[in-house]
Amino acid sequence: MSRTHLFDDVTFFASAVHERDLPASSGVEVAFAGRSNAGKSSALNALVRRHRLAFVSKTPGRTQQINFFSLGAGRFLVDLPGYGYAKVPGAMKQSWQELLSGYLQTRDQLRGLVVLMDARHPLTPLDRQLLDWFAPTGRPAHVLLTKADKLPKQEAARQLRGVGERLAADYHGSSVQLFSATTRQGVDDAEALLAKWFDAV
Ligand code: GDP
């Protein structure tokens, strides 16, 4: 499949609130995760170029679930619940942890993880927690440093370098790029990487 068609046919597939609800499928999944407000919904919409698809979920009640979107041809894009939302009560945080860590550690179909981080505040402890859960699987993680348009070019380049160095030290096989849903900086690169992951079966 050529990469220009990767996201041509996105449809909602399923939601899971508990691990037992995760859809059985023989497909290939790429998951997106990030702190609430990191720009995940905006990035997903920029990638699929469909502003009316519901990649928007702000309230804690709605964010605590995993949403699966089918791209056709056995490919799935997985929208993981945003984390670090201050108003989420303790009990919810725990069920979030169980759902997310379980999914990241044991999901066979999961080929790669995209982690969205605000380019101005990358690699927070919760971001590292997520990478720590996923790292033992040996599969690649890719960091999108979002809202790059909010930083002067030199500062963005400095963040890119810094995060690249820290990832190389702690998370073998991971990668990082600058991204902006607003200017579409990095959209093509992200899409090319996803196409590679989906095809590397
Ligand atoms: P989510 O909670 O991770 O899904 O984050 P959203 O996609 O809803 O974005 C959070 C806020 O950041 C919103 O106010 C967006 O308009 C803003 N935002 C997201 N991406 C960008 C970007 O690339 N550039 C700028 N300037 N703002 C962005």
Side-chain angles (χ1 to χ4, degrees), residues 176-193:
V176 58
Q177 67 163 96
L178 294 169
F179 190 91
S180 167
T182 304
T183 65
R184 299 189 62 85
Q185 174 184 2
V187 168
D188 289 347
D189 290 340
E191 191 178 337
L193 183 89

Side-chain angles (χ1 to χ4, degrees), residues 142-159:
H142 184 65
V143 174
L144 298 185
L145 293 176
T146 60
K147 311 185 197 182
D149 58 283
K150 292 201 179 203
L151 287 175
K153 276 220 158 58
Q154 280 202 340
E155 177 60 13
R158 196 183 65 80
Q159 287 287 47

Side-chain angles (χ1 to χ4, degrees), residues 35-42 58 147 149-150 180-182:
R35 287 179 68 89
S36 301
N37 222 41
K40 177 161 55 75
S41 312
S42 303
K58 281 264 143 163
K147 311 185 197 182
D149 58 283
K150 292 201 179 203
S180 167
T182 304

Side-chain angles (χ1 to χ4, degrees), residues 76-96:
F76 296 89
L77 216 157
V78 182
D79 187 8
L80 297 175
Y83 47 92
Y85 195 91
K87 290 180 188 134
V88 175
M92 223 181 207
K93 269 184 191 150
Q94 188 175 338
S95 71
W96 168 86

